[in-house]
Amino acid sequence: MKKTTVIYQDGSHQWAVVARDPERPNYLIDTNEYLVSSGDRCLLTDPGGSEIFAAVFSALTMYTDPQRIEAIFASHQDPDIISSLGLWLEFNPSLKCHLSWLWSEFVPHFGGTDQTFVNIPDEGETIRLGNLALEALPAHYLHSSGNFHLYDAQARILFSGDVGAALLPPCSDLFVQDFDRHIGHAKGFHQRWMGSNEAKLDWCERVSRLPLDMLCPQHGAIYRGADVMRFINWFAELPVGSGVRR
């Protein structure tokens, strides 16, 4: 089963990741779910597909009371991101889901009503979680046409959705240990799934100006320390999408 690991803590301000399910069927992609806490209030990023809801919920229950979760942040519309929404709403019908306005008539097919969704404008916005201000940063066309990442300036953490993702072997480490070896598992994914070199360079320029200690993707291992800028620089140089010959 998945387990929850705290990756940042400053008093009641915490980030925890639900990751690494060795019992996951091999036909499902492995995913990371991040729980951001500020006091008694929590936000869950990309809560995952309906098939893994039980594993995610169980792992969170071992760590905290899931009733503390008041909001979901969906980086985009894919089923591995948000198809569990209906199950989360069965547990707590008052949950709010922050996502791009572009998907406001698509994601409700997974569950929810017009009272569930908080639409993020293209330029992004601030999401308040108690005393904590989280920034939804544009990452459009990486790889979705309506796509956002979540930045916590206090923790110096960026939840980067599919950017930074790597398709790793089972039982891999939670954090990147050997960047050169790790990045081989990321190259093909980024070249195929990131659609625009222009959007990629815009993102790299934006996030390279942020104070960052960790870059946390939805798939694969977490980048920390010097590996954060190593990844950004590597990504900036990588031809992606229509710029890749096949």
Side-chain angles (χ1 to χ4, degrees):
M1 295 291 287
K2 280 176 170 275
K3 68 176 184 177
T4 303
T5 303
V6 175
I7 59 173
Y8 170 86
Q9 181 167 5
D10 182 9
S12 64
H13 179 196
Q14 298 180 353
W15 278 69
V17 60
V18 182
R20 301 297 181 274
D21 186 358
E23 299 175 14
R24 170 185 59 86
N26 60 10
Y27 56 81
L28 292 177
I29 192 169
D30 202 13
T31 58
N32 302 324
E33 294 75 36
Y34 298 90
L35 186 73
V36 188
S37 303
S38 178
D40 289 330
R41 305 175 70 175
C42 297
L43 175 146
L44 183 64
T45 71
D46 288 2
S50 56
E51 297 85 353
I52 65 166
F53 170 79
V56 174
F57 190 86
S58 176
L60 286 170
T61 300
M62 298 294 290
Y63 169 67
T64 190
D65 180 359
Q67 289 283 0
R68 297 173 60 211
I69 301 172
E70 64 181 50
I72 285 170
F73 175 84
S75 61
H76 60 288
Q77 83 291 354
D78 278 356
D80 66 311
I81 301 297
I82 194 62
S83 66
S84 64
L85 178 61
L87 296 170
W88 280 103
L89 289 169
E90 285 185 23
F91 170 69
N92 181 1
S94 66
L95 273 176
K96 299 298 183 184
C97 179
H98 298 262
L99 83 167
S100 168
W101 68 272
L102 192 65
W103 306 119
S104 61
E105 295 178 341
F106 291 81
V107 171
H109 286 279
F110 295 135
T113 69
D114 59 352
Q115 301 301 305
T116 303
F117 298 96
V118 182
N119 294 333
I120 305 173
D122 280 343
E123 64 271 19
E125 68 177 7
T126 300
I127 299 172
R128 296 283 176 181
L129 185 67
N131 295 324
L132 185 62
L134 302 169
E135 298 297 329
L137 301 180
H140 308 310
Y141 302 102
L142 300 175
H143 66 105
S144 167
S145 50
N147 200 65
F148 287 95
H149 297 162
L150 194 66
Y151 177 57
D152 182 339
Q154 291 187 33
R156 297 165 62 103
I157 292 174
L158 178 67
F159 167 64
S160 58
D162 281 320
V163 175
L167 305 181
L168 300 176
C171 301
S172 296
D173 291 324
L174 183 61
F175 293 93
V176 174
Q177 302 296 332
D178 181 332
F179 182 85
D180 292 334
R181 180 181 300 173
H182 171 86
I183 211 64
H185 298 286
K187 181 179 179 181
F189 180 91
H190 285 77
Q191 288 190 312
R192 186 68 187 226
W193 288 101
M194 305 300 156
S196 167
N197 280 291
E198 182 180 358
K200 175 202 69 175
L201 292 172
D202 178 72
W203 181 89
C204 289
E205 181 180 359
R206 180 182 298 112
V207 301
S208 66
R209 298 194 298 263
L210 300 175
L212 284 175
D213 290 336
M214 278 185 271
L215 189 146
C216 298
Q218 195 231 352
H219 306 287
I222 296 169
Y223 304 82
R224 59 182 173 179
D227 282 338
V228 174
M229 277 308 303
R230 286 193 186 101
F231 171 77
I232 295 169
N233 291 334
W234 172 86
F235 190 35
E237 296 296 323
L238 184 73
V240 302
S242 59
V244 181
R245 290 186 178 182
R246 292 187 175 85

